[in-house]
Each structure stands twice: as C-alpha cells, then as structure tokens.
C-alpha cells in the first residue's frame, strides 16, 4: 500500500468531507498541532523510567483521547469529548501538585529527561490550544474540546513537576538568587 497520494503536492489537502482546502486552513493547522502534541507525548513515554509505567499508561490514554478530539473537530456528528474528560485532568493536576513541593515562584522548564520533555509537551499543548481558539472563531467547537485543551497544558506542567520530583531533580527558580 502506498502512503503518498500526491494530492497535497500543491499545498492543498482534502478534509474528511471531501472538500479541498489549503494546508494553512485553520482546521488543518489545528489538527496538525494536536498531531504534533500526540506524537511528542510518545517521545515523553519513551523517556520515562521503567518504574513509571502508570504515567506511561496515562499518557498513552491521553494520546488516544487526542485522536478522539481530532475526530470531534473533523466530524461534526462525532462528538465524544465530555466535561468528565477535563474533570479527570483536574483530579490528576490536584494529585500531582499535592505530591510536589509548594510552588512559590516561577521555575525554569527543565529537569530530568522526562520532566524536561513534559515541559516541552506543555508548550506544544498551548500551541494546539491557540490553534483551536483560532479555529473556534471560524467553526464553533464543542466547549468540551476547548476546556480539555486548556487544562491539558496545566496537567502536563503538574506532571512534569511530579516526574522531576520522583527523579530527585531540584527545580531551578526563574530568578537568580
């Protein structure tokens, strides 16, 4: 099976509806940014310690959820994102923040290999969210999509802190002492 179609050779791509649009179309950009995030979460999973299998499973579940989110964006009648998806993220954020030292100031992104990659994934999630906000101005998205993307970057921040704490990494304040 060939994976290339040559359809996009001139900067156009076909939406699921069959409509041809520019590769810079807001929906295509949003789907691409979510795809990048989803792929980078795979890099994060690959960098986790063997003892962090529960976190790897969580991130794999989020990768699956991002597939659903992409389908929800692409197909109007395929709406699977629900408020409970965001509530789950909020519960995990609270859990991870409670298990790490109190945050008293801004910190530099970084840490262990997995922690630093989670911080980077957080920024990719923010970009995907910004793209979704732009798309929402053209094509109204379900609120559950928007809240999930907003909360996902917070989750990745909390998880980065938790992983760094597990890996005995001392966070570095953003201001020199």
């Amino acid at each position: 099976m060939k994976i290339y179609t040559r359809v996009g050779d001139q900067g156009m791509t076909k939406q699921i509806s069959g409509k041809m649009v520019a590769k810079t179309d807001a929906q295509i950009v949003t789907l691409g940014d979510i795809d990048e995030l989803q792929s980078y979460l795979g890099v994060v999973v690959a960098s986790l310690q063997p003892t962090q299998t529960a976190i790897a499973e969580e991130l794999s579940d989020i990768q699956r959820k991002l597939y659903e989110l992409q389908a929800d964006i692409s197909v109007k009648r395929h709406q699977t994102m629900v408020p409970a998806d965001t509530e789950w993220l909020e519960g995990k954020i609270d859990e991870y923040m409670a298990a790490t030292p109190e945050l008293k100031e801004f910190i530099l992104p970084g840490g262990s290999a997995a922690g630093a990659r989670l911080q980077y994934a957080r920024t990719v999630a923010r970009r995907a969210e910004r793209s979704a906000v732009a798309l929402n101005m053209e094509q109204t998205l379900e609120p559950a999509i928007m809240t999930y993307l907003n909360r996902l970057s917070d989750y990745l921040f909390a998880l980065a802190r938790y992983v760094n704490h597990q890996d005995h990494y001392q966070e570095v304040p953003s201001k020199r002492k």
Side-chain angles (χ1 to χ4, degrees):
M1 174 178 144
K2 292 184 180 184
I3 63 166
Y4 58 88
T5 63
R6 296 188 175 113
V7 172
D9 290 353
Q10 303 304 313
M12 302 294 283
T13 193
K14 191 182 294 187
Q15 291 178 317
I16 199 159
S17 66
K19 178 182 174 187
M20 294 297 292
V21 296
K23 289 185 176 187
T24 56
D25 178 85
Q27 185 186 73
I28 303 306
V29 170
T30 301
L31 294 172
D33 287 346
I34 294 167
D35 182 41
E36 182 181 352
L37 171 60
Q38 187 180 40
S39 296
Y40 197 75
L41 290 176
V43 173
V44 172
V45 168
S47 71
L48 291 169
Q49 300 294 328
T51 57
Q52 296 170 320
T53 55
I55 293 169
E57 289 174 17
E58 252 179 52
L59 291 172
S60 294
D61 286 344
I62 288 171
Q63 286 178 294
R64 289 180 186 95
K65 185 58 68 176
L66 290 172
Y67 267 128
E68 291 179 31
L69 192 144
Q70 287 175 307
D72 286 0
I73 289 171
S74 300
V75 183
K76 283 295 186 186
R77 57 192 180 279
H78 183 281
Q79 298 302 312
T80 59
M81 299 297 295
V82 294
D85 296 321
T86 299
E87 291 164 8
W88 181 86
L89 288 175
E90 290 171 345
K92 297 306 285 187
I93 292 165
D94 294 343
E95 176 186 329
Y96 291 139
M97 292 303 285
T100 57
E102 183 182 355
L103 194 59
K104 296 179 180 177
E105 59 190 316
F106 289 107
I107 57 173
L108 294 177
S112 66
R117 286 181 176 104
L118 281 161
Q119 287 285 5
Y120 184 75
R122 170 188 58 81
T123 67
V124 177
R126 283 284 184 217
R127 180 171 359 106
E129 179 190 8
R130 288 190 304 272
S131 296
V133 168
L135 175 60
N136 193 46
M137 292 177 176
E138 295 178 18
Q139 163 192 329
T140 303
L141 300 176
E142 288 295 319
I145 292 172
M146 302 304 293
T147 56
Y148 187 84
L149 285 173
N150 185 25
R151 212 69 79 248
L152 184 55
S153 57
D154 296 333
Y155 162 85
L156 293 168
F157 175 79
L159 183 57
R161 292 195 68 232
Y162 178 75
V163 166
N164 280 333
H165 185 67
Q166 278 191 328
D167 292 345
H168 307 289
Y169 175 79
Q170 179 95 22
E171 292 174 329
V172 177
S174 63
K175 289 186 179 181
R176 265 193 211 278
K177 302 250 177 184

